[in-house]
Amino acid sequence: MMQYVSSIAIAIHAIGATVWVGGMFFAYLVLRPSLGAFEPQQRLTLWSDVFSHFFIWVWIAVIALPVSGYVLVFKYFGGFGSAGVHVHIMHMLGLLMIGLFLLLYFAPYRHFRNGVTAKDWASAARHLNDIRRIVGINTILGLITVIVGASGRLWG
């Protein structure tokens, strides 16, 4: 039975990381530069629609990743005391990423959404720029976390 729990936890962890980090990578490095030809109002409205769909999946990942990670830490290592340094690095980076997402969601994203709703395009654009910065940082942290997760067990 525990083997199935571990398999499910690994699958949930991998899918959660793929959806969140992959989504940020796509948004930051593919979608954002592709929207340069759009008028500001169209671009901001599209971002509002994109975020409203994507953030549902990020919320799922923000819950699923730590839960599945803790299941794996306690199943495989009996807790953090026996876990390798790579697990501690992933844990720290994951908590930092979650914290940045919470900051993004409850501050600039809320103001961005209000700006789009009010058709205050200047305000929405300012807050979109704040979102862009946080997503850029989280994308880098996410890619580092993926590298650590993929290679960490091979360290020393």
Side-chain angles (χ1 to χ4, degrees):
M1 177 65 170
M2 280 309 275
Q3 178 181 347
Y4 295 114
V5 170
S6 296
S7 295
I8 291 168
I10 289 170
I12 289 170
H13 208 75
I15 291 169
T18 300
V19 167
W20 189 8
V21 177
M24 289 188 301
F25 185 92
F26 173 79
Y28 197 85
L29 295 166
V30 177
L31 182 59
R32 186 176 142 264
S34 300
L35 296 178
F38 285 72
E39 293 297 320
Q41 178 180 342
Q42 293 172 312
R43 185 171 48 246
L44 294 165
T45 302
L46 178 62
W47 274 118
S48 183
D49 291 343
V50 168
F51 291 146
S52 71
H53 290 88
F54 180 57
F55 287 165
I56 293 168
W57 292 103
V58 176
W59 276 110
I60 293 168
V62 160
I63 294 165
L65 283 164
V67 169
S68 60
Y70 293 140
V71 166
L72 293 167
V73 164
F74 288 98
K75 159 72 169 84
Y76 281 114
F77 304 111
F80 283 100
S82 301
V85 68
H86 69 291
V87 174
H88 293 275
I89 293 170
M90 283 190 296
H91 185 235
M92 177 201 63
L93 291 172
L95 291 177
L96 179 58
M97 289 178 67
I98 290 169
L100 285 170
F101 171 70
L102 293 173
L103 171 69
L104 179 156
Y105 189 84
F106 290 110
Y109 174 60
R110 182 173 56 92
H111 297 303
F112 167 77
R113 212 176 44 216
N114 291 341
V116 170
T117 300
K119 299 187 183 330
D120 181 352
W121 306 118
S123 173
R126 277 193 314 277
H127 294 294
L128 180 61
N129 198 44
D130 295 336
I131 292 168
R132 179 192 58 78
R133 283 189 201 107
I134 295 170
V135 169
I137 292 166
N138 249 3
T139 301
I140 292 166
L141 293 174
L143 291 172
I144 292 168
T145 305
V146 168
I147 292 166
V148 170
S151 66
R153 71 187 126 226
L154 303 175
W155 301 352

